[in-house]
Amino acid sequence: MPRIRRTTAAALAATAAISLLATACTGSAGDAAPDDPKARTTLTFWHGWSAPSEVAAIEANIRSFEAKHPNITVKTVKGITDDKLNQALRAGGSQAPDVVSSFTTDNVGRFCTTGALADLKPFLDKSGIDPAATFLPQMAKYTEHEGKRCAVPLLGDAYGLYYNKKAFAEAGITAPPKTLSEFDAVAEKLTKRKGDTYEQLGFMPNFQGYETTFEHYASQFGVRYFDADGKSALAGDPAVKALFTWQKKLADRLGGYERLERFRASLGDEWGPKHPFHTGQVAMQLDGEWRGKMASDAELDFEIGAAPFPVPDDQADQYGKGYLSGTILGIARVSEKQNAAWELVKYLSTDTDAVVSFANAIHNVPSTQAALKSPDLGDDPLYRTFVSIAQHPGSSHAPSSVNGGAFLLTAQDLGVRWEAGREKDLDAGLRKADAQVDKDNEQAR
């Protein structure tokens, strides 16, 4: 399932809504849950999946859980947005969910610090589950904040490079690029200009393009984001300046910001069959593991390949890594059925058959070590490329923050101003971004 990117305003609204939970949630995260998990009860599970195939897949796992726990009935509510989730967690009451999932991995820091989701450590300890050994290390890392675990991963996403094999062959390109200098040359070679637009664009580098965000690029550069004291480190991190410099140079090389933006505005929807990679308008695409299935469903008239996204030339030994994200799963702090809720969370997130079947059904990357090694995991070569990216030790997600993903939006907004030429002094822009991030984080504490 792709994590559909939100607008800046919507993302900030979601973060603000979570912050209100700090005054609404009461009690210690370490409180003992009073309910008997063996008693007959009904749990409410809210999730964001909405496509028929996705809903059918999660429902199949719920039915399997109920067969193993006949005393527990699960009522699912699909298509839940983070805004609705935040409101329910804040309000509590009989209509609030017991178990929740979210696609917004960036909000883990806020969920943990506000108490919106229960501390899972007592439950994990009681069940003898070591998150570091059970889950993929990088996914275990992005589901906790400052040592507090309020969520576990439920499948994940890995990002890499899709490429049009027909376009490669016509251009005499025999293999996907591994370094950014190679990538830039390939992107230019694949670009076919047509007047003030393009017949074919090698790659759309703009920060407002499909999945070409600052956060997704940053994993390839090894951006640090914060220093040892928790202060924003954008201006002092050479990787950040290298990222912005590379991106703008590539955009200029491919025709310039304005030409690229005009072309971008003419492209089809990211989630529909007219995606520009599907139509051949863009020859290479930064995207997640779901794109392979979507391309197959679109019945393209050319073969596609997948590989890790290239890395900076001075990090060539890190080739194979990529950006990671995924669904998070937790127990509502306001739930009065936390022991029963834990049984559902534990099953969905750690039962190997459940994780593998769900990963295969919705074409996501498994989040447990056992599921990744399962012989039943899908063996499609495109999909397996992303499974490998997810397991690379250099693959990463941005660090959790007390202010959710607001710091990422600040960096993204700077990137848009920089590529458009509205930010003339990059160093000054980075310093202003640092000041803004630190101010936002201080206000969120």
Side-chain angles (χ1 to χ4, degrees):
M1 166 68 189
R3 317 295 157 203
I4 298 178
R5 288 187 289 121
R6 302 159 294 164
T7 64
T8 298
L12 288 173
T15 297
I18 294 173
S19 68
L20 294 175
L21 290 165
T23 57
C25 296
T26 60
S28 165
D31 290 348
D35 66 298
D36 179 1
K38 296 183 179 179
R40 182 165 295 280
T41 190
T42 297
L43 296 174
T44 301
F45 173 37
W46 282 15
H47 65 76
W49 291 286
S50 58
S53 60
E54 297 168 345
V55 173
I58 191 64
E59 287 292 340
N61 270 2
I62 294 296
R63 300 290 82 82
S64 295
F65 168 78
E66 290 176 329
K68 294 177 181 290
H69 298 79
N71 62 301
I72 302 176
T73 299
V74 181
K75 176 185 176 182
T76 58
V77 182
K78 65 181 181 179
I80 294 295
T81 65
D82 267 25
D83 285 343
K84 290 182 180 179
L85 177 60
N86 297 331
Q87 292 169 12
L89 292 175
R90 184 169 68 249
S94 59
Q95 301 303 309
D98 300 293
V99 176
V100 301
S101 69
S102 170
F103 299 150
T104 314
T105 319
D106 295 334
N107 273 338
V108 168
R110 294 302 297 152
F111 281 133
C112 288
T113 56
T114 60
L117 299 182
D119 184 356
L120 296 184
K121 186 178 187 303
F123 299 101
L124 289 159
D125 289 347
K126 180 175 60 178
S127 300
I129 297 173
D130 177 2
T134 301
F135 303 110
L136 194 66
Q138 299 91 322
M139 295 183 186
K141 184 176 181 180
Y142 68 56
T143 45
E144 66 176 359
H145 176 68
E146 295 181 346
K148 183 176 180 180
R149 176 167 296 284
C150 66
V152 290
L154 176 59
L155 305 189
D157 295 320
Y159 283 67
L161 178 70
Y162 286 94
Y163 58 97
N164 182 326
K165 287 190 173 183
K166 179 182 178 182
F168 266 46
E170 290 176 349
I173 303 167
T174 58
K178 294 183 177 181
T179 64
L180 289 178
S181 63
E182 294 173 353
F183 177 74
D184 295 353
V186 167
E188 185 172 30
K189 193 171 185 179
L190 290 168
T191 296
K192 301 176 181 178
R193 291 176 173 81
K194 184 178 181 181
D196 64 351
T197 185
Y198 303 89
E199 179 182 338
Q200 174 181 280
L201 178 64
F203 178 73
M204 172 58 75
N206 289 22
F207 283 116
Q208 296 183 90
Y210 295 153
E211 305 299 340
T212 48
T213 65
F214 175 85
E215 183 179 8
H216 296 170
Y217 284 144
S219 62
Q220 304 308 104
F221 282 81
V223 169
R224 289 188 300 120
Y225 291 103
F226 299 103
D227 63 20
D229 297 322
K231 297 293 186 180
S232 183
L234 298 176
D237 186 356
V240 176
K241 191 168 184 179
L243 189 165
F244 281 127
T245 301
W246 162 77
Q247 186 270 349
K248 197 171 192 311
K249 283 184 177 179
L250 178 58
D252 291 344
R253 189 169 177 175
L254 296 179
Y257 172 79
E258 292 186 1
R259 182 196 294 259
L260 289 169
E261 279 295 288
R262 285 196 301 270
F263 184 63
R264 186 181 67 81
S266 72
L267 301 176
D269 179 67
E270 181 173 5
W271 311 113
K274 298 300 183 182
H275 185 289
F277 181 70
H278 296 174
T279 61
Q281 292 169 285
V282 173
M284 295 188 293
Q285 179 69 44
L286 170 62
D287 221 327
E289 74 286 337
W290 60 81
R291 180 58 54 192
K293 186 175 187 303
M294 294 180 77
S296 176
D297 291 344
E299 299 182 346
L300 309 186
D301 61 1
F302 55 87
E303 187 179 357
I304 66 174
F309 196 81
V311 293
D313 289 46
D314 61 357
Q315 298 182 45
D317 61 341
Q318 285 287 300
Y319 178 71
K321 67 181 180 179
Y323 172 78
L324 298 182
S325 187
T327 304
I328 61 172
L329 186 66
I331 298 172
R333 184 65 186 81
V334 295
S335 173
E336 297 180 352
K337 308 169 185 176
Q338 291 186 15
N339 284 318
W342 168 246
E343 294 300 321
L344 177 59
V345 169
K346 179 174 65 173
Y347 177 78
L348 293 178
S349 64
T350 67
D351 184 274
T352 299
D353 289 341
V355 173
V356 170
S357 65
F358 197 28
N360 286 340
I362 70 172
H363 214 67
N364 274 190
V365 175
S367 41
T368 68
Q369 300 279 19
L372 287 164
K373 298 172 184 174
S374 172
D376 297 325
L377 187 63
D379 60 359
D380 171 66
L382 288 178
Y383 172 69
R384 283 289 183 168
T385 296
F386 294 87
V387 171
S388 295
I389 292 171
Q391 296 179 82
H392 191 286
S395 293
S396 63
H397 183 272
S400 63
S401 169
V402 67
N403 205 21
F407 71 102
L408 297 169
L409 294 171
T410 297
Q412 172 79 358
D413 290 346
L414 171 60
V416 173
R417 297 196 306 274
W418 166 249
E419 69 180 0
R422 297 194 298 273
E423 183 68 63
K424 304 295 185 182
D425 187 334
L426 180 56
D427 291 318
L430 290 169
R431 290 192 294 272
K432 287 186 289 186
D434 279 339
Q436 185 65 53
V437 170
D438 289 340
K439 178 182 177 182
D440 291 342
N441 284 349
E442 186 61 32
Q443 292 177 342
R445 293 185 188 280

